[in-house]
Amino acid sequence: MKYYIIEDKGAMDSMEDAHCICELDKKLLVGLFDGHGGHEAARYAAGKFPEKMKEALNLFKPKDAFRRVFEQLSREIEKTTESGTTALAFLLNSESLIWANAGDSRLLIVN
């Protein structure tokens, strides 16, 4: 599976966004985090998201795994930084696409 990443900081002085991409059992897991008020929350979320999702997917259906991991990351971020982040994530395999978002980030699918 091929994928590409394009980043643009826009009018901001520095990049506040972060992402993670990993393969889990022939599925592609992608997380995109749009930082608000700094990069700390987005980078924290991107760094922790893959392992937390891997653990959650062993216990829950994807929909519940996304919700639980988003909520867990939110609680952890609130304790560590004043910055915030939106979250957009998806799990893709040859048969399905499952996605979740928290905040104003959106997913655009192009074929």
Side-chain angles (χ1 to χ4, degrees):
M1 183 178 307
K2 291 183 182 179
Y3 51 85
Y4 302 90
I5 300 296
I6 299 172
E7 295 181 331
D8 182 9
K9 69 178 183 65
M12 303 300 291
D13 291 333
S14 63
M15 176 60 79
E16 294 185 352
D17 304 341
H19 67 274
C20 56
I21 301 172
C22 65
E23 292 186 29
L24 302 173
D25 301 322
K26 298 183 181 181
K27 296 176 184 140
L28 184 66
L29 177 67
V30 176
L32 305 168
F33 304 94
D34 179 9
H36 291 224
H39 66 269
E40 295 87 359
R43 288 185 184 170
Y44 181 91
K48 300 287 184 176
F49 183 72
E51 189 60 36
K52 289 182 182 296
M53 275 299 292
K54 184 177 180 179
E55 292 171 8
L57 287 167
N58 286 328
L59 301 171
F60 306 103
K61 293 181 180 182
K63 177 182 172 182
D64 294 325
F66 278 124
R67 181 179 49 80
R68 288 173 181 267
V69 170
F70 281 6
E71 289 172 351
Q72 184 181 20
L73 285 171
S74 180
R75 286 190 302 272
E76 292 174 8
I77 288 168
E78 286 177 354
K79 295 176 185 176
T80 61
T81 181
E82 296 288 320
S83 70
T85 186
T86 67
L88 170 64
F90 62 88
L91 191 61
L92 174 68
N93 66 22
S94 61
E95 300 173 5
S96 66
L97 170 68
I98 302 167
W99 75 93
N101 73 301
D104 62 359
S105 295
R106 299 291 177 256
L107 175 64
L108 176 64
I109 301 169
V110 179
N111 184 3

